[in-house]
Amino acid sequence: MKDSDSPPRVGQVVRIKRGRDTGQYAVVVGVLDERFLLLADGDKRKFDKAKKKNVNHIEPLPHISDEVIRSIEETGRVTNAKLRFALGVFSQQHLELLKEGE
């Protein structure tokens, strides 16, 4: 993991490096301890069935969704629509950065 100084936090977008969902993106919806996180994307992996994932099997990305953080702090949960929205915003910004880099 690149960012070993700062562990992934709730609301952060990550890329999955190992397992069935390799290469897909998800949002951290819970931190169980220093080794395990709960991930969801609001589509195939809903908030209620969040995936428990080892931190060594994900790549934390610099994008953090304030919407997701706020929702979890206020209600203890987040809607699947907000998770999809957060990933949509991330992918839009990601595509724009790739275009600028060409």
Side-chain angles (χ1 to χ4, degrees):
M1 186 163 76
K2 286 182 214 164
D3 248 354
S4 56
D5 327 348
S6 62
R9 25 188 283 229
V10 170
Q12 188 164 8
V13 175
V14 299
R15 188 174 67 80
I16 299 169
K17 297 193 302 187
R18 300 260 192 301
R20 180 185 303 190
D21 300 329
T22 299
Q24 294 182 11
Y25 297 92
V27 179
V28 177
V29 294
V31 178
L32 299 177
D33 56 35
E34 66 277 348
R35 283 195 50 213
F36 291 101
L37 307 169
L38 292 175
L39 304 179
D41 65 9
D43 186 22
K44 287 188 283 290
R45 182 62 70 177
K46 308 279 193 215
F47 176 81
D48 293 333
K49 300 269 189 202
K51 175 72 177 164
K52 181 179 173 183
K53 202 77 173 152
N54 187 319
V55 294
N56 295 323
H57 296 173
I58 57 117
E59 176 187 344
L61 300 168
H63 185 83
I64 296 177
S65 170
D66 294 328
E67 289 255 326
V68 172
I69 294 170
R70 210 171 312 117
S71 181
I72 290 176
E73 284 175 353
E74 288 172 7
T75 64
R77 55 178 295 118
V78 63
T79 64
N80 292 310
K82 275 190 185 159
L83 291 171
R84 290 191 300 271
F85 178 77
L87 288 170
V89 168
F90 164 75
S91 62
Q92 279 299 117
Q93 291 175 347
H94 195 67
L95 285 173
E96 289 171 16
L97 288 174
L98 285 176
K99 285 179 184 171
E100 288 174 12
E102 289 176 355

